């Protein structure tokens, strides 16, 4: 009945949605933020720890949400590891573009490989009310980077 | 058949009155199960609004020319129709607002700030829509009233024993309770609640946003002091709501918004207020929308509220026979008396994912917490539910189709 | 003609867009000179509302199904169109209300009670509509602010010297002034008023209910903190108004009405608010009406605000050439900069009697004091005036016909 | 241009409108009320003085208003003279009926002659927004009779 939705719910999304990676509280985190999607009431906590060179050593999250938002957060925690804050933000910008339009012409070669890991989520662009589910994790990441103390982000 | 029997409930003819129900999207027929959020509009309502704008439009209450007199008569005829619809003693007891949220806020300001004393309490319940909860939180913070919350039972009914406890110290000034839950479908025993409130010296406000669509409401029979509902859920346009308020309360309450039409006379420094209900209707009212609401009331009354209620009861019975058999499906609440609204959750699908799937099947349901966060917490459904809600155009076949789609959805996420 | 010239102002084509203008009553063609109270609606607006109800209607912001996504997109597109229309920096600066009266009351509550301190002053003027006066009287009485009234000159212009005096002690927190008088047609020097207010540390609110219809408004150019107008005077439906408010003020102001859609999260006892502008839009908004207003804005922009202004200027010039010659006729005010609105009185006929006569000739004008009692006292016209106000469909021939009717009316009462 | 309006503005109305009778403050009044028509902002003061037998000795008014309301007040002050309060109220009820419908079947024979003096005002029934102009004086009379102290009446 829903075969044409396999584009949106690709196997990797269902998999990350069911078994999100890095789904835990990060004890040695220096940065934390809370994300909130008022539309569905989903919430997530994101923690970051850094290497001495300033790159992200570890990212982990906890929360509840739909398959899309869980998968997006899970994939994000995997892809931002080793990135500098600037790189992570650039990826977030690219991802938002991807989620809203289905592609990201601005994503330059340096990001390409990492962005590819995120492309399974590009199907949301056809579902305007679901775009926020996909971008919530990345909004929360931005907030954690800008304000380590833990301000609330919303995916508006 | 004798002449007094209600007209048979001709669902095909009714559906033909709603142009949007014939629409398709991605090759799927629209199965609209979100009437509880806002109902679709029959052509009779659309036509009444068009006719007003094409041939009888002018501002009301202000002009001495025939077009304005006509518009004023049409606007006031809508008020009279609303009064008859809920059996208000007089059309002067009907205040038009922008929606039921504004109706509740009007009570919170004019009655709450104007007539309740700091230290008095407002009682709401765990199953209120935010529109009947947030205004009382804001009143508490601004005015120093207390907010007390009446519990509900696990079945989703109001815990009347708890209500009695909350009323016991005589400090409650207002009981503000839904007449029908927008999540559980629970219909509350309004007459009994009003009796309890009155015996304890409190006034009572019913949020009838859902109830007025599904049942015949009689504000005198239940002895409501305030009764609120909203046009767009009753097959009328957006932009118009109703507050019924007893005449003596309207006289005693200070106005809410200031401006034209609500005054008797204005000086640069002091003004006096018009008689109710004008006192509570500042500025140009929703003229076209009142006329649309009038057409909507005419429409449902031609079918008959009793027939509508019977139709929806049959749909609920059908849904409750078909759906609980679906593996992994949880239906919230189990009230004895329930209207055509219910919330459900599938054990392996988030409400948001589920609604995206159902949408692809052509089925419109709401996902989330339906402006009732506390209720979802109370029932252990923090991450939301899907909600199906019926209109007078809903069919049993649509419910069967929903059941089928739910079975497929569960398989999809397996 | 180069491609950049505005389309010629084709009055016949424009009139053909307004179905009601073709109507007759008792054999007289309708001469509608009450657009200042509420304008007539072009078929483009009517059609947009019909299309919404027939094929794209659902509640907004709440549903994850395509119909609701569509309605949400349409509703937000209306907000974006309003933002462009008044050159707001962002669509997030636009709050939809029920009318401009409610917009002013929103400011009185959220900014007035929320951010002004008792003892601070609000400055309004002698030529305000009640909607921009009564809320400040009510705020004074509830919150302890002072209300100061800026004088007008005999010509009906704002007395800027007096405004400077009222601002001098630095205690004013808000200057709330009309951008165009609904009685005199006077257009006020908004940029200058804002500059004076800001230099004295006050915010400024313009009541643009009339101005937005007759002029291109640029809220950034005049540096308005708040700007209010109303849909039904701009050829849109009733039930919808607009409040522009600067982003930092919106963030700082507490919400006005409580309910659904204006919250971020709700607990039984505490809630947090959504980001602006949602924070100020409680409950189901006027969806169909926002879509109608969008169509109205598209309509006037296709003609061009500059062309509309030029047309109305020509009409005012024509009226001021023709009417003062009528014996016994007094026209109120004589502002340098005036829009298509003027009030008049015949020496031997009360405004009410006069409007009854004019109505018999097919001419719709308002009689009374036009929600501006203090202004009528100020100008020695306590027993009221008649007011003629122009729309983009008004013709010079209609003004000639008015002049003729006035001459006959004077004879009738002689 | 307005010949068909001669039904509404009969000569007697124009005459009473221009030169209202009993247009003065009544110094020996025992009863007073103030009437107010919010639609047009017109106001009137009405004074009454009584005979020893309880009938109305004198009625006078001041105020501003349209031709209809001035004429109606003027005619009223003339017709109520000599009537008991009950009779005056019955006339008022009859007059309201007349103003709203154009005739007054309930007006019994006793009132007939006096009502006839008021019939020139019956034309207002075709002008819904003007009915209040005609009835304001009679509302004010009721108020003066019920509450001699001078409460405000409005013609709603
Ligand atoms: C100058 C002015 N301000 C405010 C208003 C009030 O507008 P609304 O009745 O739509 O709230 C009007 C029109 O009545 C007006 O002309
Ligand atoms: C029970 C209940 N109360 C209040 C409301 C608010 O209605 P509105 O959004 O029209 O103000 C709703 C609908 O959203 C409702 O279902």
């Amino acid at each position: 009945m829903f075969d044409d939705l396999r584009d949106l719910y690709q196997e990797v999304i269902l998999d990350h949605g069911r078994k999100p990676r890095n789904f835990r509280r990060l004890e040695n985190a220096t940065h934390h933020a809370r994300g909130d999607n008022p539309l569905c009431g989903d919430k997530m906590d994101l923690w970051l720890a850094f290497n001495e060179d300033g790159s992200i050593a570890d990212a982990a999250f906890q929360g509840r949400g739909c398959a899309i938002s869980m998968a997006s957060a899970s994939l994000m925690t995997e892809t931002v590891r080793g990135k500098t804050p600037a790189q992570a933000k650039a990826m977030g910008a690219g991802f938002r573009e991807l989620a809203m339009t289905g592609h990201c012409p601005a994503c330059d070669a340096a990001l390409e490989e990492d962005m590819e890991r995120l492309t399974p989520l590009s199907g949301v662009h056809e579902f305007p009310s679901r775009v926020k589910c996909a971008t919530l994790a990345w909004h929360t990441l931005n907030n954690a980077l800008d304000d380590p103390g833990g301000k609330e982000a919303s995916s508006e | 058949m004798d002449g007094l029997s209600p007209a048979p409930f001709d669902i095909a003819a009714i559906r033909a009155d709603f142009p949007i129900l014939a629409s398709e999207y991605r090759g799927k027929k629209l199965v609209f199960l979100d009437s509880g959020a806002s109902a679709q509009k029959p052509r009779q309502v659309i036509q009444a609004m068009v006719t007003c704008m094409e041939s009888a439009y002018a501002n009301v209450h202000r002009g001495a020319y025939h077009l304005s007199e006509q518009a004023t008569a049409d606007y006031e005829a809508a008020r009279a129709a609303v009064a008859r619809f809920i059996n208000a003693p007089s059309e002067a007891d009907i205040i038009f607002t922008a929606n039921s949220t504004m109706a509740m806020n009007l009570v919170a300001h004019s009655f709450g700030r104007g007539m309740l004393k700091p230290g008095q309490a407002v009682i709401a319940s765990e199953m209120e829509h935010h529109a009947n909860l947030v205004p009382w939180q804001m009143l508490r913070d601004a005015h120093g009233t207390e907010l007390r919350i009446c519990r509900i039972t696990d079945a989703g009914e109001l815990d009347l024993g708890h209500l009695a406890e909350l009323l016991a110290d005589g400090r409650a000034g207002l009981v503000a309770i839904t007449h029908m839950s927008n999540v559980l479908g629970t219909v509350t025993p309004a007459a009994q609640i009003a009796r309890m409130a009155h015996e304890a010296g409190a006034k009572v406000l019913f949020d009838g946003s859902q109830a007025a669509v599904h049942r015949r409401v009689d504000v005198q029979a239940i002895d409501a002091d305030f009764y609120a509902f909203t046009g767009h859920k009753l097959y009328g346009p957006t932009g118009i709501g109703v507050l019924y308020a007893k005449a003596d309360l309207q006289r005693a309450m200070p106005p809410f918004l200031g401006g034209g039409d609500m005054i008797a006379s204005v000086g640069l420094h002091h003004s006096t207020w018009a008689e109710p209900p004008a006192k509570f209707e500042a500025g140009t009212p929703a003229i076209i929308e009142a006329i649309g609401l009038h057409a909507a009331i005419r429409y449902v009354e031609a079918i008959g509220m009793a027939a509508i209620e019977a139709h929806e009861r049959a749909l609920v019975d059908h849904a409750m026979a078909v759906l609980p058999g679906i593996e992994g499906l949880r239906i919230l609440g189990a009230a004895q008396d329930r209207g055509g609204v219910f919330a459900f959750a599938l054990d392996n699908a988030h409400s948001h994912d589920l609604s995206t799937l159902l949408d692809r099947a052509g089925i419109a349901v709401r996902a989330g917490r339906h402006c009732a966060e506390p209720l979802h917490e109370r029932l252990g459904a923090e991450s939301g539910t899907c909600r199906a809600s019926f209109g007078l155009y809903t069919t049993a076949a649509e419910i069967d189709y929903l059941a089928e789609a739910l079975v497929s959805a569960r398989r999809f996420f397996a």
Side-chain angles (χ1 to χ4, degrees), chain A, chain B:
Chain A
M1 196 164 192
F2 303 117
D3 282 346
D4 55 343
L5 280 170
R6 289 286 167 207
D7 268 3
L8 176 63
Y9 292 103
Q10 298 188 17
E11 199 44 56
V12 50
I13 293 179
L14 289 178
D15 177 50
H16 276 262
R18 273 189 220 108
K19 295 183 309 243
R21 321 300 194 257
N22 303 309
F23 192 83
R24 57 191 156 88
R25 172 180 275 277
L26 202 62
E27 295 304 338
N28 62 337
T30 56
H31 288 54
H32 167 251
R34 178 153 242 250
D36 186 28
N37 182 346
L39 184 65
C40 55
D42 291 343
K43 292 188 196 316
M44 68 174 60
D45 284 289
L46 175 72
W47 293 273
L48 301 173
F50 288 83
N51 295 313
E52 300 226 321
D53 66 359
S55 66
I56 295 172
D58 202 359
F61 79 106
Q62 279 190 327
R64 58 169 194 239
C66 61
I68 309 281
S69 72
M70 289 295 105
S72 177
S74 171
L75 286 162
M76 181 187 79
T77 54
E78 291 193 337
T79 47
V80 297
R81 216 166 294 177
K83 303 289 182 298
T84 64
Q87 286 172 322
K89 283 194 175 182
M91 287 180 66
F95 179 73
R96 274 191 293 278
E97 177 89 22
L98 189 72
M100 279 190 293
T101 67
H103 40 249
C104 173
C107 300
D108 61 18
L111 290 176
E112 218 170 71
E113 202 178 310
D114 292 303
M115 290 309 289
E116 216 144 273
R117 294 215 53 206
L118 305 177
T119 44
L121 281 160
S122 66
V124 289
H125 83 272
E126 285 185 42
F127 300 82
S129 65
R130 306 306 303 281
V131 169
K132 291 177 183 177
C133 308
T135 56
L136 176 60
W138 293 90
H139 281 285
T140 311
L141 176 70
N142 268 3
N143 268 34
L145 292 170
D146 291 344
D147 173 14
K151 179 163 144 275
E152 281 222 12
S154 102
S155 59
E156 303 284 343
Chain B
M1 261 214 223
D2 66 61
L4 293 174
S5 316
F9 196 84
D10 183 347
I11 188 83
I14 287 172
R15 291 181 65 88
D17 285 333
F18 291 79
I20 207 169
L21 295 182
S23 67
E24 294 200 351
Y25 185 69
R26 295 181 188 258
K28 295 287 188 351
K29 272 194 55 177
L30 175 64
V31 174
F32 190 72
L33 297 178
D34 196 25
S35 295
S38 198
Q40 298 298 342
K41 320 303 174 202
R43 58 187 169 74
Q44 288 85 346
V45 166
I46 299 170
Q47 190 53 51
M49 295 167 74
V50 168
T51 301
C52 167
M53 290 188 271
E54 285 189 350
S55 60
Y57 182 76
N59 210 332
V60 296
H61 297 156
R62 300 178 178 186
Y65 53 93
H66 73 274
L67 214 48
S68 176
E69 288 172 347
Q70 178 67 48
T72 304
D74 292 347
Y75 178 69
E76 293 302 329
R79 195 193 302 281
V82 169
R84 284 192 305 273
F85 181 61
I86 58 171
N87 194 33
S90 156
E91 58 208 55
D93 305 333
I94 303 299
I95 300 165
F96 281 125
T97 64
N99 51 27
S100 64
T101 299
M102 186 170 159
M104 251 86 76
N105 278 276
L106 194 163
V107 176
H109 279 260
S110 289
F111 175 78
R113 296 191 188 203
M115 295 179 68
L116 290 182
K117 290 191 188 42
Q120 280 194 286
V122 175
I123 301 175
S125 88
E126 282 181 333
M127 65 177 160
E128 296 312 316
H129 188 280
H130 296 166
N132 196 26
L133 182 61
V134 180
W136 313 118
Q137 296 177 348
M138 292 169 74
L139 177 68
R140 177 197 59 203
D141 296 343
H143 189 62
T145 46
E146 188 188 332
L147 175 58
R148 298 178 179 177
I149 303 293
C150 182
R151 284 196 296 266
I152 59 168
T153 66
D154 290 340
E157 293 177 324
L158 202 67
D159 181 340
L160 293 173
H162 191 221
L163 179 60
E165 281 172 39
L166 295 177
L167 286 165
D169 68 2
R171 281 190 25 232
L174 180 70
V175 175
I177 299 276
T178 189
H179 195 192
M180 173 174 155
S181 161
N182 66 313
V183 177
L184 307 174
T186 310
V187 176
T188 57
Q192 192 177 349
I193 294 168
R195 209 173 320 115
M196 290 171 69
H198 291 154
E199 276 166 15
K203 303 294 178 195
V204 63
L205 157 69
F206 291 107
D207 174 1
S209 307
Q210 295 292 337
V213 182
H214 298 274
R215 300 285 171 96
R216 166 153 293 298
V217 170
D218 182 332
V219 290
Q220 295 189 74
I222 60 181
D223 200 15
D225 297 296
F226 300 104
Y227 197 95
F229 67 97
T230 193
H232 66 95
K233 294 186 205 271
L234 189 64
Y235 313 101
T238 44
I240 185 130
V242 170
L243 178 66
Y244 161 80
K246 276 187 184 164
D248 56 335
L249 286 167
Q250 286 202 43
R251 269 193 303 272
M253 275 154 54
F256 175 29
L257 306 180
D261 282 351
M262 55 69 73
I263 52 89
S265 89
V266 174
L268 281 170
H269 294 284
H270 294 283
S271 302
T272 56
W273 314 131
E275 294 295 308
K279 179 163 96 176
F280 300 102
E281 292 183 4
T284 302
I287 302 164
I288 301 162
E289 292 70 25
I291 287 164
L293 178 59
H294 189 175
I297 288 175
R298 261 196 310 260
Y299 186 78
V300 294
E301 290 199 319
I303 295 172
M305 289 309 289
I308 291 172
E309 180 179 342
H311 174 68
E312 291 182 359
R313 250 182 225 283
L315 290 175
V316 172
D317 289 348
H318 185 72
M320 293 308 137
V322 170
L323 294 169
I326 296 171
E327 217 188 310
L329 188 77
R330 175 185 173 203
I331 293 179
L332 268 65
Q336 290 285 328
D337 191 3
R338 71 192 291 174
V341 170
F342 62 95
F344 56 90
L346 261 190
D347 59 358
N348 68 348
H350 186 279
S351 65
H352 241 79
D353 296 315
L354 183 54
S355 77
T356 294
L357 259 68
L358 295 177
D359 183 34
R360 214 26 100 82
I363 303 172
V365 297
R366 271 185 75 188
R369 293 174 301 176
H370 323 303
C371 296
E373 261 186 75
L375 176 61
H376 277 77
E377 309 249 328
R378 164 68 178 83
L379 297 175
E382 292 83 358
S383 61
T385 55
C386 285
R387 182 186 74 177
S389 52
F390 307 150
L392 47 77
Y393 36 64
T394 305
T395 66
E398 289 179 315
I399 292 166
D400 294 337
Y401 180 63
L402 170 67
E404 204 184 308
L406 288 173
V407 172
S408 295
R410 187 145 195 278
R411 234 177 294 134
F412 185 91
F413 288 112

